[in-house]
């Protein structure tokens, strides 16, 4: 079965520092890939997605992610973190067969981001 | 509103009672999903509706869980004879089609006493 791994449960950075959150997936083909962010008491907000094409994708709030097929990774980055970025971040995959999605998302365990002033 | 709406936002009930959770998807979205978020299990897929097709129920944890989607819009997730392990946040999402980005509601926090 496919799986998604976010190796870091908790990351702490200083405001203004750069950020990279790691995500690896286990699946034979390239799934559709997503990053979501969740603030306390809120649902999940989509940051960005990768379906195909350019491996560097831009998202909202200044986030970007790079798909690396050879490493089965889809890491999330931001050059300068703001205090409002403190939240929990989830990587998710939508397995597909020949480009046809199975519909359901499989999520990683999440990474909690703390931002120090 | 423009987003996915879920009600109630919080539900506290006694063990053994039945509960119904409601989801109102984004207008025009043909796909609707239910997920469960708990401390021990993380985010888990429960069930998926796509248009008029039979739902994918492969994530439902037991036969106490069921869901329906009426008129291709509003969905209700029902949990019968609730157990303490059912305590979790139940999230609903919708998308314009299968494979398209899913937009989530704020969830229903269910607490079983």
């Amino acid at each position: 079965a496919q799986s998604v791994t976010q190796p870091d449960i908790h990351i702490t950075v200083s405001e203004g520092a750069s950020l990279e959150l790691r995500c690896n997936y286990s699946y034979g083909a390239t799934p559709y890939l997503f990053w979501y962010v969740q603030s306390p008491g809120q649902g999940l907000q989509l940051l960005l997605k990768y379906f195909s094409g350019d491996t560097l994708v831009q998202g909202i709030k200044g986030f970007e992610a790079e798909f690396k097929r050879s490493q089965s990774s889809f890491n999330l980055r931001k050059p300068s973190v703001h205090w409002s970025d403190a939240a929990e971040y989830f990587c998710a995959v939508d397995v597909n067969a020949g480009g046809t999605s199975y519909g359901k998302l499989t999520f990683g365990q999440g990474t909690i981001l703390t931002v120090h002033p | 509103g423009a987003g996915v709406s879920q009600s109630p936002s919080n539900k506290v009930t006694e063990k053994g009672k039945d509960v119904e959770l409601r989801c109102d998807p984004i207008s025009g979205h043909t796909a609707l999903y239910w997920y469960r978020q708990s401390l021990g299990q993380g985010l888990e897929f429960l069930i998926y509706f796509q248009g008029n097709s039979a739902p994918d129920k492969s994530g439902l944890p037991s036969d106490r869980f069921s869901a329906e989607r009426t008129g291709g819009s509003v969905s209700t997730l029902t949990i019968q004879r609730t157990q303490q392990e059912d305590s979790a946040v139940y999230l609903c999402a919708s998308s314009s089609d299968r494979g398209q980005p899913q937009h989530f509601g704020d969830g229903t926090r269910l607490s079983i006493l």
Side-chain angles (χ1 to χ4, degrees):
Chain A
Q2 68 275 8
S3 65
V4 182
T5 301
Q6 293 180 244
D8 304 305
I9 296 174
H10 197 169
I11 283 184
T12 299
V13 300
S14 297
E15 190 169 18
S18 63
L19 173 69
E20 182 170 30
L21 302 183
R22 295 181 291 165
C23 173
N24 293 92
Y25 64 90
S26 172
Y27 184 62
T30 300
Y32 299 150
L33 297 158
F34 305 86
W35 274 98
Y36 285 87
V37 61
Q38 186 179 37
S39 298
Q42 305 285 313
L44 283 75
Q45 181 183 22
L46 178 69
L47 287 176
L48 45 76
K49 62 185 184 289
Y50 174 78
F51 286 172
S52 65
D54 192 347
T55 57
L56 184 64
V57 294
Q58 303 296 321
I60 63 171
K61 305 185 178 186
F63 285 92
E64 66 178 25
E66 185 172 14
F67 167 62
K68 293 186 177 179
R69 184 189 307 275
S70 61
Q71 299 176 18
S72 296
S73 70
F74 188 55
N75 293 349
L76 182 71
R77 301 194 295 245
K78 186 169 185 178
S80 178
V81 171
H82 188 263
W83 64 266
S84 60
D85 293 324
E88 189 163 14
Y89 292 79
F90 292 92
C91 180
V93 303
D94 178 354
V95 173
N96 68 88
T100 299
S101 163
Y102 289 153
K104 54 196 175 189
L105 294 177
T106 300
F107 288 89
Q109 302 92 318
T111 298
I112 298 171
L113 174 65
T114 298
V115 181
H116 280 166
Chain B
V4 176
S5 178
Q6 292 188 246
S7 60
S9 54
N10 286 281
K11 177 71 176 179
V12 181
T13 192
E14 294 178 346
K15 176 182 172 182
K17 301 286 189 183
D18 297 352
V19 295
E20 285 188 350
L21 312 179
R22 175 189 169 102
C23 173
D24 203 337
I26 293 172
S27 178
H29 278 192
T30 61
L32 186 147
Y33 315 79
W34 284 97
Y35 295 87
R36 179 169 69 175
Q37 185 174 26
S38 59
L39 282 176
Q41 302 299 321
L43 275 155
E44 306 172 281
F45 164 79
L46 295 177
I47 188 169
Y48 155 54
F49 296 88
Q50 173 64 53
N52 296 321
S53 302
D56 176 352
K57 304 179 182 180
S58 60
L60 294 179
S62 77
D63 58 8
R64 296 185 296 104
F65 287 73
S66 63
E68 63 177 19
R69 188 178 186 191
T70 53
S73 181
V74 172
S75 176
T76 302
L77 177 69
T78 301
I79 308 173
Q80 296 179 310
R81 305 181 302 281
T82 52
Q83 304 294 312
Q84 288 192 331
E85 61 263 28
D86 300 334
S87 295
V89 176
Y90 289 82
L91 292 165
C92 177
S94 70
S95 65
S96 58
D97 199 355
R98 184 171 63 177
Q100 293 304 306
Q102 298 179 24
H103 301 268
F104 285 79
D106 286 341
T108 294
R109 181 174 297 278
L110 177 63
S111 300
I112 310 298
L113 301 178

